[in-house]
Amino acid sequence: MTADRPLFPALASKQEAEGGAVLAPRFGADGTITCVTLDADTAEVLMVGHMNAEALALTIETGEGWYWSRSRGELWHKGATSGNVQKVVDLRIDCDQDAVVMTVRVDGHGATCHTGRVSCFYRSVPLGQKAADGPVRLVDVGGERRFDPKDVYGKG
Amino acid sequence: MTADRPLFPALASKQEAEGGAVLAPRFGADGTITCVTLDADTAEVLMVGHMNAEALALTIETGEGWYWSRSRGELWHKGATSGNVQKVVDLRIDCDQDAVVMTVRVDGHGATCHTGRVSCFYRSVPLGQKAADGPVRLVDVGGERRFDPKDVYGKG
């Protein structure tokens, strides 16, 4: 899938990006846009990931969630190892085309977070504190756990 | 609010970030983390923004949405100009502490997007196309519009 030309057209102008009907993602300095992944049934935010041009193109083409793993520096077919493949039911892009919201149904045991939880956002930040006054303590708000990561080899 | 020491502690380890009860955000190369902003009543994703340490600290302290505007290179109290201040009802951080999900109620006329729409995610990307075959056409899925940006001076 190494293209001789870019997979997506370049952005002609801010106006065209916002009003236009052509997908022309504005990839950042690291070559990615932000992807917010939602659960189709609960509307919960499952994770925030990153897509380079190839990951976005594969997501559109296959209807499954592909990302660029910044930590591993490689293309990442989410769930390829764990079985928790993300079946995309809706994909949206924002006004300036540097972020997508992807609504999915998760295959397998349904955990998205590598800690075994359904969602990566399992801790709440209490409001009303001054950070400069000392450490802000997080509150574990649960987050359903589908497996114990100690039992799982690999990640994906 | 220029602190002599960092507003948040540094991350000791991946394990501590994931299991720990201390807020220790992992700011990226540009000094920000990603913020996904949700509507408290509809659960809709309103916008994706970025927070530097000061914006995150101000959000926690004041309970209103503050961001770092990467395009303008300045701290951004969302709604300070337009009246659409974001009152935070819940703030969560993800496993590796480089993204937050912020649930808000929006004051004023309630538009979050500078195009006048309630949400920035007003266009859908149809699935099943090969990007390499040609431009991917976006579908306008509406998105309620609260004002005409031509009538509005300034942004915020």
Side-chain angles (χ1 to χ4, degrees), chain B residues 43-57:
Chain B
E44 188 176 14
V45 179
L46 298 174
M47 62 179 282
V48 170
H50 304 272
M51 291 179 174
N52 64 358
E54 196 172 356
L56 177 61

Side-chain angles (χ1 to χ4, degrees), chain A residues 5 17-18 20-23 60-61 91-95 114 120 122-125 128-130 132 136-138, chain B residues 5 17-18 20-21 23 60-61 91-95 114 120 122-125 128-130 132 136-138:
Chain A
R5 55 186 179 79
E18 292 174 358
V22 169
L23 180 62
I60 295 169
E61 186 181 332
L91 184 65
R92 295 201 184 178
I93 194 150
D94 72 343
C95 46
H114 71 288
C120 295
Y122 52 85
R123 288 173 301 182
S124 178
V125 184
Q129 302 181 63
K130 261 178 170 332
V136 174
R137 312 293 300 182
L138 301 172
Chain B
R5 55 186 179 81
E18 291 174 358
L23 180 62
I60 294 169
E61 187 181 330
L91 184 65
R92 296 201 183 177
I93 193 149
D94 73 343
C95 46
H114 71 288
C120 295
Y122 51 86
R123 288 173 301 182
S124 178
V125 185
Q129 303 180 62
K130 262 179 170 330
V136 174
R137 311 293 300 182
L138 300 172

Side-chain angles (χ1 to χ4, degrees), chain B residues 9-85:
Chain B
L11 210 64
S13 70
K14 191 171 185 295
Q15 282 67 32
E16 202 171 272
E18 291 174 358
V22 169
L23 180 62
R26 201 158 57 97
F27 297 104
D30 67 350
T32 73
I33 57 172
T34 302
C35 175
V36 180
T37 306
L38 305 181
D39 185 284
D41 297 313
T42 65
E44 188 176 14
V45 179
L46 298 174
M47 62 179 282
V48 170
H50 304 272
M51 291 179 174
N52 64 358
E54 196 172 356
L56 177 61
L58 282 166
T59 297
I60 294 169
E61 187 181 330
T62 66
E64 297 186 350
W66 287 77
Y67 301 87
W68 177 254
S69 167
R70 297 189 302 180
S71 56
R72 298 195 297 277
E74 61 182 31
L75 208 59
W76 174 28
H77 184 200
K78 175 77 177 162
T81 307
S82 66
N84 302 318
V85 168

Side-chain angles (χ1 to χ4, degrees), chain A residues 13-94:
Chain A
S13 70
K14 192 172 186 296
Q15 282 67 32
E16 201 170 272
E18 292 174 358
V22 169
L23 180 62
R26 200 159 58 98
F27 297 104
D30 68 349
T32 72
I33 57 172
T34 302
C35 175
V36 181
T37 306
L38 305 181
D39 185 283
D41 297 313
T42 65
E44 189 175 12
V45 178
L46 298 174
M47 62 179 281
V48 169
H50 303 272
M51 292 179 172
N52 65 358
E54 195 171 357
L56 178 61
L58 282 166
T59 298
I60 295 169
E61 186 181 332
T62 66
E64 297 185 350
W66 286 78
Y67 300 87
W68 177 254
S69 167
R70 295 188 303 179
S71 57
R72 297 196 298 276
E74 62 183 30
L75 208 59
W76 175 28
H77 184 199
K78 175 76 178 161
T81 307
S82 65
N84 301 318
V85 169
Q86 299 178 333
K87 298 291 170 68
V88 184
V89 299
D90 186 49
L91 184 65
R92 295 201 184 178
I93 194 150
D94 72 343

